[in-house]
């Protein structure tokens, strides 16, 4: 076993150094940063354009007395309800749909999104259906306060009671559960994006070495399954280097921008252990998908065949992610157990479980289960590669898939 591990590490060091010190690695690191920069610029431009339009307000087109009452009511409600829509006094009537349309068109620069007309006894709110539906309750409160001021006389401000605030360190169970679910969803999404982004590098690895006849030299000196394991470990190491650089850049951007992740609640196992489990489950997800991609790349003759064969796997992985996401809302149900047992969805389901459940023993079982399937897939892929590409090994082609899996697992135990 020690000699086999040495061969695996030798292949891993060879591939890791070759990739890390290549020119393409720089573009690999910078590639994902371009969409982030473009999205940030687009968000800044959108916010600037939205800010130029100004906040949406209600245009008041009523009699002078009613308009004064509505304006005073809005000022009175500003203390307890500062998020109520603002008002602006209009100097033109709005008694018909045509007049309302003209006001909304001409008052766009002032942020007029709806028009309040009629009287305090019979108010009318005109505007686009989504806007007036969202503002109907606010306008009802505004008109009711205007009626009170009209009845009591202007200048009779309402005395709002002072509310004592008593914060507690422990959040409510509802807030804690909801926050942990958001943390689980964010972790699952990040794990899926990183896995799909980085595992694709494995696809073309063997295709290039087959074309250069390098794989024949490696196969003559090192067992094929050791070659597969070494290449997977090398690509996993490169992936961790990339994640470290991207994580450092993201941390600098967050600190420089004064942003935070306060909307994410602390996971049930605590942040340090959750981050460690995240790294472990990323490695498991990467090795599972990477071993499958490595098998596909080994069987394909050209890059075009690699792309054709990898498409169904990519779509299937998307379905796997949906299964893990759905199981998050079905905790304790059979679907969650199925997502945890299915090898390719197990890392996503178990990482989400770490955010919502503090038990640690299921993670030990899950990591061992996922590692077993990595071994099975790599052994099977190496066997198929020897028999179909290298044309070596037994010629018996009638053995079933289950017998091949059993043989691969038995040879691994003997090693």
């Amino acid at each position: 076993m020690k000699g086999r591990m040495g061969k695996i590490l030798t292949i891993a060091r060879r591939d890791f150094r070759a990739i890390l010190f290549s020119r393409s690695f720089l573009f690999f690191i910078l590639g994902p940063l371009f969409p982030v920069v473009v999205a940030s610029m687009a968000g800044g431009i959108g916010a600037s354009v939205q800010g130029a339009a100004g906040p949406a307000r209600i245009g008041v087109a009523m009699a002078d007395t009613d308009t004064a009452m509505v304006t005073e009511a809005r000022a009175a409600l500003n203390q307890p309800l500062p998020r109520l829509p603002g008002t602006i006094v209009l100097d033109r009537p709005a008694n018909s749909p045509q007049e309302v349309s003209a006001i909304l068109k001409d008052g766009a620069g002032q942020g007029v999104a709806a028009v309040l007309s009629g009287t305090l006894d019979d108010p009318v709110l005109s505007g686009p259906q989504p806007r007036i539906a969202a503002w109907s309750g606010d306008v009802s409160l505004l008109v009711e306060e205007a009626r009170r001021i009209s009845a009591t006389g202007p200048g009779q401000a309402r005395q709002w009671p002072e509310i004592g605030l008593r914060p507690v360190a422990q959040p409510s169970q509802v807030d804690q559960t909801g926050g942990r679910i958001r943390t689980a969803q964010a972790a699952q999404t990040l794990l899926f994006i990183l896995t799909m982004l980085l595992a694709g590098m494995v696809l073309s690895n063997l295709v290039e070495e087959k074309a250069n006849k390098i794989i024949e030299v490696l196969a003559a000196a090192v067992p094929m399954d050791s070659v597969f394991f070494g290449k997977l470990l090398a690509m996993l190491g490169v992936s961790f280097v990339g994640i470290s650089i991207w994580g450092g850049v993201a941390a600098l951007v967050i600190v420089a921008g004064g942003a935070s992740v306060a909307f994410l609640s602390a996971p049930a196992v605590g942040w340090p252990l959750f981050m460690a489990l995240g790294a472990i489950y990323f490695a498991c997800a990467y090795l599972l998908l990477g071993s499958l991609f490595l098998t596909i790349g080994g069987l394909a003759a050209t890059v075009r065949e690699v792309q054709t064969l990898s498409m169904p796997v990519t779509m299937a992985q998307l379905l796997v992610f949906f299964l893990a996401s759905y199981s998050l809302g079905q905790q304790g149900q059979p679907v969650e157990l199925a997502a945890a047992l299915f090898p390719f969805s197990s890392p996503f389901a178990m990482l989400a479980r770490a955010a919502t459940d503090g038990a640690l023993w299921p993670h030990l079982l899950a990591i061992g289960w996922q590692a077993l399937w990595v071994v099975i897939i790599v052994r099977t892929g190496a066997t198929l590669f020897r028999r179909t590409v290298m044309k070596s090994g037994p010629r018996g082609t009638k053995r079933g898939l289950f017998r091949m899996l059993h043989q691969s697992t038995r040879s691994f135990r003997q090693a």
Side-chain angles (χ1 to χ4, degrees):
M1 186 66 182
K2 184 177 180 180
R4 182 181 293 271
M5 182 57 66
K7 296 176 181 178
I8 292 175
L9 294 178
T10 300
I11 298 295
R13 284 194 299 268
R14 166 189 172 270
D15 282 24
F16 181 77
R17 291 173 180 173
I19 296 173
L20 195 64
F21 297 105
S22 64
R23 296 179 181 178
S24 59
F25 181 74
L26 178 62
F27 293 97
F28 162 73
I29 292 297
L30 296 178
L33 298 179
F34 287 111
V36 176
V37 173
V38 172
S40 300
M41 294 176 61
I45 294 173
S48 177
V49 172
Q50 186 68 23
R57 296 192 287 183
I58 300 174
V60 182
M62 308 175 78
D64 293 342
T65 304
D66 292 344
T67 298
M69 296 299 102
V70 170
T71 303
E72 187 173 346
R74 179 62 187 86
L77 292 172
N78 188 61
Q79 178 185 351
L81 299 172
R83 294 186 179 181
L84 281 178
T87 59
I88 181 173
V89 178
L90 303 176
D91 56 357
R92 56 194 296 184
N95 299 320
S96 66
Q98 292 78 12
E99 292 174 338
V100 171
S101 298
I103 291 174
L104 294 177
K105 181 178 180 180
D106 298 338
Q110 298 174 316
V112 178
V115 177
L116 178 62
S117 59
T119 64
L120 293 181
D121 295 329
D122 188 18
V124 177
L125 183 64
S126 305
Q129 174 60 32
R131 179 69 69 178
I132 60 177
W135 277 357
S136 60
D138 296 336
V139 173
S140 176
L141 179 63
L142 182 64
V143 171
E144 178 60 27
E145 179 63 15
R147 290 176 181 174
R148 188 198 67 81
I149 294 176
S150 178
T152 59
Q156 301 296 324
R158 187 193 293 266
Q159 298 298 321
W160 303 104
E162 292 290 337
I163 304 297
L165 303 179
R166 184 183 298 168
V168 295
Q170 180 67 27
S172 67
Q173 187 64 33
V174 174
D175 293 337
Q176 188 178 56
T177 301
R180 287 178 174 176
I181 290 178
R182 288 193 297 270
T183 302
Q185 290 175 327
Q188 280 186 336
T189 304
L190 181 61
L191 179 61
F192 174 75
I193 293 174
L194 291 176
T195 303
M196 295 304 298
L197 178 65
L198 297 170
M201 298 187 301
V202 183
L203 278 170
S204 59
N205 196 296
L206 281 181
V207 176
E208 298 173 358
E209 295 195 347
K210 282 193 302 181
N212 298 329
K213 305 299 182 181
I214 298 177
I215 194 65
E216 297 179 2
V217 178
L218 293 177
V222 180
M224 204 62 230
D225 53 353
S226 298
V227 175
F228 273 44
F229 276 118
K231 289 184 174 296
L232 281 176
L233 291 180
M235 300 306 291
L236 179 62
V238 171
S239 299
F240 274 119
V241 172
I243 292 174
S244 300
I245 296 175
W246 297 335
V249 173
L252 290 176
V253 171
I254 291 175
V255 172
S260 65
V261 290
F263 66 96
L264 297 178
S265 296
V269 298
W271 280 116
L273 186 56
F274 185 73
M275 299 295 288
L277 287 174
I280 294 173
Y281 282 129
F282 168 76
C284 292
Y286 184 90
L287 293 175
L288 284 166
L289 189 59
S291 60
L292 194 59
F293 278 166
L294 193 62
T295 301
I296 294 174
L299 298 178
T302 62
V303 177
R304 179 176 297 180
E305 288 186 10
V306 167
Q307 296 173 347
T308 302
L309 293 173
S310 65
M311 183 59 67
V313 178
T314 303
M315 294 297 101
Q317 188 67 7
L318 189 61
L319 296 178
V320 165
F321 173 68
F322 289 153
L323 171 63
S325 300
Y326 177 74
S327 68
L328 181 59
Q330 306 292 325
Q331 298 181 5
Q333 301 298 321
V335 66
E336 185 192 14
L337 180 61
L341 290 177
F342 187 62
F344 294 97
S345 63
S346 182
F348 304 97
M350 294 307 298
L351 184 59
R353 185 182 182 89
T356 58
D357 190 348
L360 297 181
W361 65 266
H363 300 285
L364 300 177
L365 295 178
I367 292 171
W369 173 250
Q370 294 162 26
L372 173 63
W373 273 98
V374 170
V375 173
I376 291 175
I377 296 174
V378 170
R379 290 278 182 169
T380 304
T383 302
L384 291 174
F385 186 82
R386 284 196 303 266
R387 294 182 181 180
T388 59
V389 179
M390 304 301 295
K391 304 298 183 182
S392 62
R395 293 291 180 177
T397 59
K398 296 184 179 180
R399 294 180 179 179
L401 176 60
F402 291 103
R403 186 176 180 181
M404 184 182 299
L405 295 177
H406 176 69
Q407 181 182 7
S408 301
T409 307
R410 183 177 60 184
S411 62
F412 176 75
R413 289 199 300 264
Q414 292 175 352

